[in-house]
């Protein structure tokens, strides 16, 4: 008598698709990836007394972070509705909600781009932030030097070579010299350009409009040299420097050229803060972009979308919920606490 015909049949392994198991294993590595960054942020912040928390100083917009949190939570809800549509074989519904999820991801990145633009416009970037008053004064002098030298190059009708840095006088530019019908290029440093412009200003053949431009340039250059000397002598404070810059910017003669010179305020641990901020939010934004690409793969199927895509939609839904969860941790850590 054989007992084989009634013996139960067993299958080895977990009762889930291999694709879902692979996604869970991938998400486990992602958890370790972000845990390392978030843990490092917590340690650095706890060990840095005076860490910048003033939103006006760091240009952190809590309302923008809160709005992005709502956007991601709503997008996760739409992913759930899309998966319901796939399981009910209502593929039009699945496409609609995946499209809304993609739209909300674009909104998230748009708000993040707005936040980043504020950081760039105020030069809240790693390695750019002065952490002491003396560093702030030095930064102001460097930026003003770039403005003055850049203006000298512009008024000299110079064609700068690639990667010309006007902040470095040793860099050279190309000054066109016309001799009859022939034109040859002459390499000349910033100081030579300054002398050529001074000669042009002193010439009686120079037009009034040109003289007005050159007079404004050399007035700005003179003011810069005066401030630079005070900075070297340490006879000017940061507040006095900012007052001088504010006065210069209001001057209609050359104030427009001083827009790149920032109103400077030292931020203790500012470079560390900016590094961590861009690292955490940047990697999260990268994961959002990857999620968008995964949604687009489904959406381009159009009416060809069928039940065989159900596992795929469920897996990218798991990924998107993870992206949402990471932001729920980042938002209070960076924006609120």
């Amino acid at each position: 008598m054989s007992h084989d015909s009634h013996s139960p049949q067993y299958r080895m392994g977990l009762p889930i698709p291999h694709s879902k198991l692979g996604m869970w294993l991938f998400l486990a590595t992602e958890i370790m990836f972000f845990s390392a960054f978030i843990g490092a942020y917590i340690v650095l912040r706890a060990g840095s007394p005076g860490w910048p928390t003033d939103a006006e100083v760091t240009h952190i917009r809590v309302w923008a972070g809160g709005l992005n949190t709502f956007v991601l939570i709503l997008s996760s809800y739409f992913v759930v509705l899309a998966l319901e549509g796939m399981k009910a074989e209502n593929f039009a519904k699945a496409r609609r909600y995946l499209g809304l999820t993609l739209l909300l991801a674009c909104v998230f990145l748009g708000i993040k781009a707005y936040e980043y633009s504020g950081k760039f416009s105020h030069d809240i970037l790693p390695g750019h932030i002065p952490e002491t008053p003396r560093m702030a004064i030095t930064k102001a002098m460097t930026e003003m030097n770039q403005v003055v030298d850049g203006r000298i190059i512009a008024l000299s009708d110079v064609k700068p070579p690639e990667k010309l840095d006007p902040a470095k006088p040793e860099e050279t530019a190309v000054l066109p010299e016309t001799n009859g019908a022939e034109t040859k290029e002459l390499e000349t440093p910033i100081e030579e350009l300054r002398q050529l412009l001074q000669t042009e200003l002193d010439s009686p053949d120079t037009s009034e409009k040109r003289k007005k431009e050159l007079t404004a340039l050399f007035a700005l250059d003179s003011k810069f040299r005066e401030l630079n000397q005070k900075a070297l002598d340490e006879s000017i404070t940061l507040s006095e420097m900012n007052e001088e810059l504010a006065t210069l910017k209001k001057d209609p003669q050359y104030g427009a050229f001083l827009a790149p010179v920032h109103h400077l305020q030292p931020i203790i641990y500012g470079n560390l803060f900016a590094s961590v901020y861009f690292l955490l939010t940047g990697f999260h934004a990268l994961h959002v972009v990857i999620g968008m690409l995964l949604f687009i793969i489904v959406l381009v199927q159009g009416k060809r979308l069928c039940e065989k895509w159900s596992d795929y939609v469920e897996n990218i839904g798991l990924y998107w919920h993870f992206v949402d969860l990471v932001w729920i941790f980042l938002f209070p850590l960076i924006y609120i606490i």
Side-chain angles (χ1 to χ4, degrees), residues 167-179:
K168 299 178 180 179
E170 66 273 12
E171 295 282 0
T172 59
V174 180
L175 179 66
E177 181 181 295
T178 303
N179 182 13

Side-chain angles (χ1 to χ4, degrees), residues 105-173:
C106 293
V107 172
F108 177 90
L109 291 181
I111 296 173
K112 182 55 61 182
Y114 163 76
E115 290 188 81
Y116 277 9
S117 67
K119 297 290 188 300
F120 278 89
S121 64
H122 292 89
D123 212 25
I124 307 295
L125 301 172
H128 289 222
I129 303 172
E131 300 189 6
T132 65
R134 181 52 47 190
M135 290 173 65
I137 292 174
T138 301
K139 179 179 173 65
M141 289 296 94
T142 301
E143 291 180 346
M144 197 165 180
N145 185 37
Q146 291 174 342
V147 169
V148 172
D149 287 352
R151 188 63 181 156
I152 289 173
I153 292 173
L155 290 178
S156 301
D157 295 326
V158 166
K159 178 185 177 184
E162 293 184 4
K163 300 181 180 179
L164 173 65
D165 187 353
K168 299 178 180 179
E170 66 273 12
E171 295 282 0
T172 59

Side-chain angles (χ1 to χ4, degrees), residues 49-281:
W51 184 272
T53 56
D54 188 346
E56 292 303 316
V57 173
T58 59
H59 296 279
I60 288 287
R61 300 291 177 257
V62 178
W63 67 266
L67 180 59
N68 261 347
T69 303
F70 171 76
V71 166
L72 280 186
I73 291 175
L74 182 60
S75 69
S76 284
Y77 174 65
F78 285 160
V79 167
V80 172
L81 294 180
L83 182 59
E84 284 184 359
M86 292 296 296
K87 291 183 176 180
E89 297 188 5
N90 187 346
F91 304 116
K93 175 183 176 181
R95 290 196 305 270
R96 181 169 64 254
Y97 282 108
L98 286 178
L100 289 173
T101 303
L102 181 63
L103 178 62
L104 289 178
C106 293
V107 172
F108 177 90
L109 291 181
I111 296 173
K112 182 55 61 182
Y114 163 76
E115 290 188 81
Y116 277 9
S117 67
K119 297 290 188 300
F120 278 89
S121 64
H122 292 89
D123 212 25
I124 307 295
L125 301 172
H128 289 222
I129 303 172
E131 300 189 6
T132 65
R134 181 52 47 190
M135 290 173 65
I137 292 174
T138 301
K139 179 179 173 65
M141 289 296 94
T142 301
E143 291 180 346
M144 197 165 180
N145 185 37
Q146 291 174 342
V147 169
V148 172
D149 287 352
R151 188 63 181 156
I152 289 173
I153 292 173
L155 290 178
S156 301
D157 295 326
V158 166
K159 178 185 177 184
E162 293 184 4
K163 300 181 180 179
L164 173 65
D165 187 353
K168 299 178 180 179
E170 66 273 12
E171 295 282 0
T172 59
V174 180
L175 179 66
E177 181 181 295
T178 303
N179 182 13
E182 296 182 357
T183 299
K184 69 174 183 178
E185 294 182 337
L186 172 68
E187 291 190 353
T188 180
I190 294 293
E191 285 302 320
E192 283 192 42
L193 292 177
R194 184 182 276 106
Q195 293 172 11
L196 289 172
L197 290 178
Q198 184 65 61
T199 302
E200 184 180 355
L201 177 61
D202 296 336
S203 172
D205 298 329
T206 305
S207 67
E208 289 299 321
K209 181 181 179 181
R210 181 69 170 176
K211 281 188 176 182
K212 185 177 180 180
E213 291 178 334
L214 296 177
T215 300
L217 168 64
F218 286 112
L220 181 62
D221 187 37
S222 176
K223 191 63 179 177
F224 161 69
R225 289 173 180 271
E226 178 186 339
L227 290 175
N228 192 49
Q229 189 59 50
K230 288 182 179 180
L232 292 174
D233 296 339
E234 299 187 5
S235 59
I236 188 171
T237 64
L238 179 58
S239 60
E240 291 172 342
M241 175 67 72
N242 279 323
E243 288 176 6
E244 292 279 3
L245 290 177
T247 302
L248 289 172
K249 286 184 177 182
K250 291 178 182 177
D251 193 315
Q253 191 176 29
Y254 39 67
F257 303 118
L258 294 174
V261 182
H262 298 87
H263 180 88
L264 300 168
Q265 180 176 354
I267 305 176
I268 300 176
Y269 298 113
N271 292 296
L272 189 57
F273 159 80
S275 298
V276 173
Y277 172 84
F278 281 105
L279 182 72
L280 290 173
T281 60

